[in-house]
Structure formats: C-alpha cells, structure tokens
Amino acid sequence: MTATPFLKKAVSGDLIVYTTPSIIQISGYWLSKTYNRGKAREILLALTDVITIIESNHLDIIKALKSEIMDIEDAIQYYTALKYKLNYFISLDKEFTKNTNDMLPIKTL
C-alpha cells in the first residue's frame, strides 16, 4: 500500500495529515535522486498544500532518546506526534508497530 489514499483524503479535506521537517528533508533527498531538484521542490511544495508541518523541540528529543524505541528517527517522530496529541502514527516500518500503545496507536500502510 502507498500513501496515496491518505493524500487523497487530505486533498478532499476528510483527513488532516501532519509531518515534520526531517521527513520533508528525507523526502527531498530521495525525490531529487529520482527526479531532479526542480521536480523535487515542485512535489514537496504541492504536498505542503495538504500536509501540516509540525516541529519537535528540545524536550521532545530528550524524551525520544530516553524512550524504549530503538530507532532514533522513529522515536523523535513519535514523541513529536505525542506532543501534538495526534490520533494515529502511520509508518511504513512494520517492526515499529510493536511500540504502539493507547496514547498513540501506530498503524502501517
């Protein structure tokens, strides 16, 4: 499964999608490798029309690093989502779902 169904729901206003600057950075890197910088920017700018970018702070990073979540990037993303009281955390990493809990369920595509 891809992110397409989620993005379609975001475009229609049926779903609010959040991400962080680090995901935009990583996506920009891979999009630039696949296409070119101009196309990568175009795609990312289109995404920012339907995705809200949220920030982590010093305390979020500390909580993430002290958490049981082994993958540092996932931990930071997860604790940022907790701060914003999001309903779900969606990841492509099926292994990451073992960290799910009642505060913030983790779903995979």
Side-chain angles (χ1 to χ4, degrees), residues 77-88:
Q77 300 298 328
Y78 188 80
Y79 276 83
T80 302
L82 275 175
K83 176 176 80 174
Y84 284 88
K85 298 178 171 70
L86 303 184
N87 296 327
Y88 296 97

Side-chain angles (χ1 to χ4, degrees), residues 30-74:
W30 289 109
L31 286 167
S32 294
K33 291 279 190 192
T34 303
Y35 302 104
N36 59 53
R37 283 189 215 141
K39 184 66 173 175
R41 288 173 188 260
E42 181 182 322
I43 292 168
L44 291 173
L45 282 168
L47 284 174
T48 62
D49 287 341
V50 296
I51 295 175
T52 301
I53 299 172
I54 57 176
E55 292 278 352
S56 54
N57 62 29
H58 185 84
L59 185 57
D60 301 326
I61 305 295
I62 299 300
K63 287 179 182 178
L65 293 173
K66 289 183 175 182
S67 78
E68 299 288 322
I69 300 172
M70 298 309 296
D71 185 295
I72 293 171
E73 179 190 351
D74 287 343

Side-chain angles (χ1 to χ4, degrees), residues 6-47:
F6 294 100
L7 293 175
K8 284 182 178 179
K9 286 185 177 209
V11 168
S12 69
D14 294 331
L15 184 68
I16 301 171
V17 179
Y18 298 90
T19 195
T20 62
S22 64
I23 298 301
I24 297 295
Q25 290 169 327
I26 293 165
S27 299
Y29 172 80
W30 289 109
L31 286 167
S32 294
K33 291 279 190 192
T34 303
Y35 302 104
N36 59 53
R37 283 189 215 141
K39 184 66 173 175
R41 288 173 188 260
E42 181 182 322
I43 292 168
L44 291 173
L45 282 168
L47 284 174

